Each structure stands twice: as structure tokens, then as C-alpha cells.
Amino acid sequence: MKALIVDDEALARERVRTLLSAEAGVAIVGECSGGREAVESIIEHKPELVFLDVQMPDLDGFQVLEALGEDDLPAIVFVTAYDEYALRAFDVHAVDYLLKPIEPERFAKTLARVRETLGDKSDGRIEALLDTLPLDRLVIRTRGKVFFLKPSQIDWVEADGKHVKLHAGRETHVVRQQLKRLEPRLAPHGFVRVHRSAIVNVDRIKELEPWFHGEYVVVLKDGTKLTSSAAHSEALHRIIDAAK
């Protein structure tokens, strides 16, 4: 797992570096003392994990994330002396939030959480499989196990930051994947996007209730209700026309 350390305080960078050196399977690809340098380094080195200070002289930690494209965003652990930014940190889907001075036990818990988020990182192979496996199955890694899920088993897919939630019956599987990358993979299997954050298996649709301005309330067979957006209602119109 490639890690980048970003902090304007040399002692703070040294602390994170020392704690990381005791962890197996982690390679530090660089250290940055400012936000602009961090943006350049993230784009260049593409780390899976960044320990990111909040307060820095040029760009703060949140501005660093804003400067990055969606595809460049790694897993983020904010490191700061102040707890006032915690809620905002999780709003941008940070994996964790460490307060200085960092205790080894707390740091170990953070690394465990990062590994769980990244699927224990088999050098990125699990995420890569999601793009390269045949279209008749998706690979899911959860609780240390890897199993395969057929698209026909999925009811609907929900975007959740840098992850998606695959709703399949009573189970929900969280996968580190972007909805826009998953959509074309599922489209040949009868999935349509009904909202910027939701893709639905057409076979699971029970009824469509007309809503405002050409939108619909999409009712699934399990009772789930999703509201389509006007921008994505065209696919639903085609379903209705095909049924006439």
C-alpha cells in the first residue's frame, strides 16, 4: 500500500513515518510540507493512502481534496491537533481522523480501518478485477472473504462517496468502486440509472408512480422507493413505451 504523508510540521511527519515503519505492507512514496506540493505528489505517485494535515499555509487539507479530480482521490486520514474539523472530515468521506499527538494504539486501529476500506489491498488487484472479470459476475471482498455476485442477484446499486452499495435481497455489499465505472458494466444486464446516485435492475421494478416534472417514484418489488431525477427519466420513459 503506497502512502503519502502531508504536514507542514517536520516533527508531525516524522511521527507518522515512524509509526508507518512498524507496519508491514506499507511503502511511503513521499512527504509533503504544503497543500500544493501534496496535490502534485498525489497526481504523480497515485498513493492509495494519504495522511493529510488540515491546517497548512498554502492549501489546507480540504482544499487539497477539492483540487484533485475524482479519479485521483486516495483514502484519506486527516491528522490534526484540533477536533473541530471532524464532522467536515467525514463529510468528504475520510477514512479516519487522528488527533495529535498520535498514540500507537490509535494509529494501529486506523491502519486496520484503512486496510478494511481498501479491501486489505492485494496490490489493487481486487479493485482491478471488478473492471476485468467477465460481465457475468462481480467480485466482492468483505470481512476478509472474496466471493462472486451475478448481476441478476442485484436489486439496485447506490453511490456512497468513493464506494457503491450493492443491494441484493437482504444483503448489502460495499465495494470500493465508482458508480460511473460500474454503470456500463451493468447496463447490458438490464440496469438503468434513475438518479445520479442510483442504478436499478429493471426486473426488480414493481411500478412507476408519476411524480413532478416528468419524474417518477420507482417502487421495487421489495418495497424500496427511489425518486428518479428529471435528467435520468428518459430510460424510464423507454421502459413504459416498450410495455405498451
Side-chain angles (χ1 to χ4, degrees), residues 122-172:
S122 300
D123 293 326
R125 285 174 289 178
I126 293 300
E127 184 175 349
L129 276 173
L130 199 56
D131 289 331
T132 60
L133 282 174
L135 290 174
D136 61 349
R137 58 180 178 166
L138 299 175
V139 65
I140 309 296
R141 186 180 184 111
T142 182
R143 294 182 293 276
K145 297 180 179 179
V146 177
F147 62 96
F148 299 100
L149 188 69
K150 294 181 179 180
S152 60
Q153 296 175 281
I154 301 171
D155 302 324
W156 67 289
V157 184
E158 176 185 9
D160 184 20
K162 293 182 66 177
H163 299 72
V164 293
K165 294 180 179 179
L166 305 177
H167 298 274
R170 296 181 179 180
E171 297 184 340
T172 299

Side-chain angles (χ1 to χ4, degrees), residues 8 10 14-15 23 29 68 85 109 140 154 185 209 214 225 230 232 235 237-238 244:
D8 63 336
E14 181 181 359
R15 178 61 172 167
E23 295 288 337
V29 296
L68 292 169
Y85 302 106
K109 290 181 180 179
I140 309 296
I154 301 171
R185 184 174 173 80
E209 300 176 356
K225 292 186 177 182
H232 296 97
H237 289 310
R238 290 198 296 267
K244 291 179 179 179

